[in-house]
């Protein structure tokens, strides 16, 4: 008897990017990713300054979500899970946006920082098991989610306002920005406890870093999943990218043009985090939260 195969989808509505994963699931074969899609409607633009999602940003995000819903229907998806993170969580009118999305047929829910971090960790643990101490970092548009595990148990969970869009909007010189990031990490991450941890990075900053690093290695177009980037490479890339204008960054091989204006802030967070825990490198998880949601929906891990 042929085992039934179900198609399920996970949508991650972030402050900068909306991400979709569609997978086939069966109890014996597990999950097989069949479709990935993303767009950058920058839903969280200026939320930190105004406290609200703008009408224009909500319209952009809703248009993206409608396209993703059509793609799910075309692929025969039977279940959709949708989560919204920092921008929707913090905005005064976040609940209004969630209701608008639900009215279009997407079961979106706003999740807590703890749940967001746990889903990112679930995906990282699925792909990179075995380390005695693991620190998973997800740099989004609005926040940095950190979760640390030791001996297979979660020991640290932090949500910090260190997202790439939020920090870029501060318009600070790089040295001042790094000081601010360093101070936030010093207050929240016990460096001695997590020194030497295996660091796993997810989110657009890390996947773009991997793409640029691969291009520099002569491996353009290779998948970002599992790529290891040294702390020195990150520092060198930060120096290189910060010396360029956004227009010049758009020409950097491997860097998505739509991230040219926010990449420096994201890379600064990555550099300071590795320095804080004295890690020599970070390994990139290209799926992160949305795959964690798929694993939860499928009851895996």
């Amino acid at each position: 008897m042929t085992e039934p195969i179900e198609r399920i989808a996970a949508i991650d509505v972030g402050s900068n990017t909306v991400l979709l994963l569609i997978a086939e699931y069966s109890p014996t074969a597990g999950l097989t990713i069949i479709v990935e899609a993303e767009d950058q409607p920058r839903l969280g633009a200026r939320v930190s300054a105004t406290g609200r999602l703008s009408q224009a940003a909500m319209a952009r995000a809703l248009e993206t979500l409608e396209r993703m819903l059509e793609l799910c229907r075309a692929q025969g998806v039977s279940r959709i899970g949708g989560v919204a993170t920092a921008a929707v969580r913090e905005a005064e009118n976040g609940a209004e946006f969630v209701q608008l999305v639900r009215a279009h047929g997407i079961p979106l829910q706003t999740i807590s920082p703890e749940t967001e971090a746990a889903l990112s960790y679930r995906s990282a643990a699925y792909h990179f098991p075995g380390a005695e101490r693991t620190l998973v970092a997800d740099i989004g548009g609005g926040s940095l989610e950190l979760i640390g595990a030791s001996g297979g148990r979660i020991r640290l969970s932090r949500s910090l306002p260190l997202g790439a869009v939020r920090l870029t909007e501060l318009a600070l010189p790089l040295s001042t920005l790094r000081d601010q990031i360093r101070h936030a990490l010093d207050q929240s991450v016990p460096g001695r406890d997590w020194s030497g941890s295996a660091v796993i990075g997810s989110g657009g900053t890390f996947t773009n870093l991997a793409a640029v690093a691969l291009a520099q290695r002569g491996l353009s177009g290779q998948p970002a999943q599992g790529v290891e980037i040294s702390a020195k490479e990150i520092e060198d890339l930060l120096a290189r990218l910060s010396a360029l204008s956004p227009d010049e960054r758009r020409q950097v091989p491997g860097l998505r043009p739509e991230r040219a204006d926010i990449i420096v802030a994201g890379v600064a967070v990555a550099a300071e985090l590795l320095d804080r825990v004295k890690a020599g490198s970070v390994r990139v998880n290209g799926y992160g939260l949305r795959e964690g949601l798929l694993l939860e929906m499928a009851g895996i891990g």
Side-chain angles (χ1 to χ4, degrees):
M1 183 176 180
T2 303
E3 185 177 55
I5 296 175
E6 183 185 18
R7 288 194 172 184
I8 58 178
I11 298 174
D12 170 11
V13 180
S15 301
N16 181 59
T17 309
V18 177
L19 299 149
L20 167 71
L21 274 184
I22 299 176
E24 289 186 339
Y25 168 70
S26 72
T28 54
L31 282 178
T32 303
I33 305 298
I34 59 171
V35 175
E36 297 181 57
E38 68 174 88
D39 195 10
Q40 287 79 34
R42 201 158 289 187
L43 181 61
R46 295 195 56 75
V47 166
S48 58
T50 67
R52 296 181 62 82
L53 303 170
S54 73
Q55 293 298 317
M58 287 195 291
R60 291 194 301 268
L62 188 60
E63 183 179 343
T64 292
L65 289 165
E66 287 174 337
R67 288 198 302 270
M68 289 182 174
L69 181 59
E70 286 303 312
L71 181 55
C72 288
R73 288 169 175 162
Q75 291 291 325
V77 169
S78 60
R79 282 192 293 151
I80 299 174
V83 295
T85 56
V88 178
R89 191 163 57 227
E90 297 174 12
E92 295 173 7
N93 57 341
E96 173 189 326
F97 175 74
V98 169
Q99 290 303 318
L100 184 63
V101 173
R102 288 177 177 173
H104 283 73
I106 297 174
L108 187 67
Q109 60 176 323
T110 305
I111 56 174
S112 68
E114 294 77 17
T115 298
E116 182 178 352
L119 289 173
S120 293
Y121 174 74
R122 190 170 193 156
S123 174
Y126 181 71
H127 287 289
F128 308 104
E132 174 58 30
R133 281 182 303 171
T134 302
L135 189 64
V136 179
D138 190 329
I139 303 173
S143 64
L144 164 66
E145 305 300 328
L146 285 172
I147 190 158
S150 175
R153 296 183 62 186
I154 294 172
R155 312 284 185 179
L156 175 78
S157 182
R158 297 284 187 272
S159 179
L160 304 176
L162 299 177
V165 173
R166 186 193 301 268
L167 292 177
T168 299
E169 290 176 347
L170 296 177
L172 296 173
L174 180 57
S175 59
T176 306
L177 180 66
R178 292 194 68 162
D179 286 344
Q180 183 166 315
I181 295 166
R182 188 178 306 120
H183 177 73
L185 291 172
D186 287 350
Q187 297 299 307
S188 301
V189 182
R192 182 179 299 176
D193 293 349
W194 296 97
S195 179
S197 297
V199 181
I200 309 298
S202 62
T205 290
F206 285 112
T207 54
N208 271 251
L209 263 176
V212 175
L214 286 167
Q216 290 192 155
R217 300 171 192 174
L219 299 171
S220 293
Q222 294 294 310
Q225 180 66 17
V227 169
E228 188 169 11
I229 314 170
S230 72
K232 184 181 184 306
E233 281 181 286
I234 290 176
E235 288 287 355
D236 290 346
L237 282 170
L238 180 57
R240 175 188 172 195
L241 294 170
S242 64
L244 302 176
S245 69
D247 283 342
E248 290 170 328
R249 286 181 216 131
R250 290 184 181 94
Q251 308 307 312
V252 172
L255 181 62
R256 286 180 175 269
E258 62 270 17
R259 283 194 171 267
D261 58 335
I262 64 171
I263 190 65
V264 169
V267 178
V269 174
E272 289 297 333
L273 177 62
L274 292 188
D275 183 68
R276 176 61 180 159
V277 298
K278 307 305 177 191
S281 64
V282 58
R283 192 171 294 277
V284 176
N285 181 21
Y287 296 120
L289 187 158
R290 56 186 168 150
E291 188 189 42
L293 179 57
L294 280 179
L295 292 168
E296 183 178 83
M297 292 169 69
I300 297 174

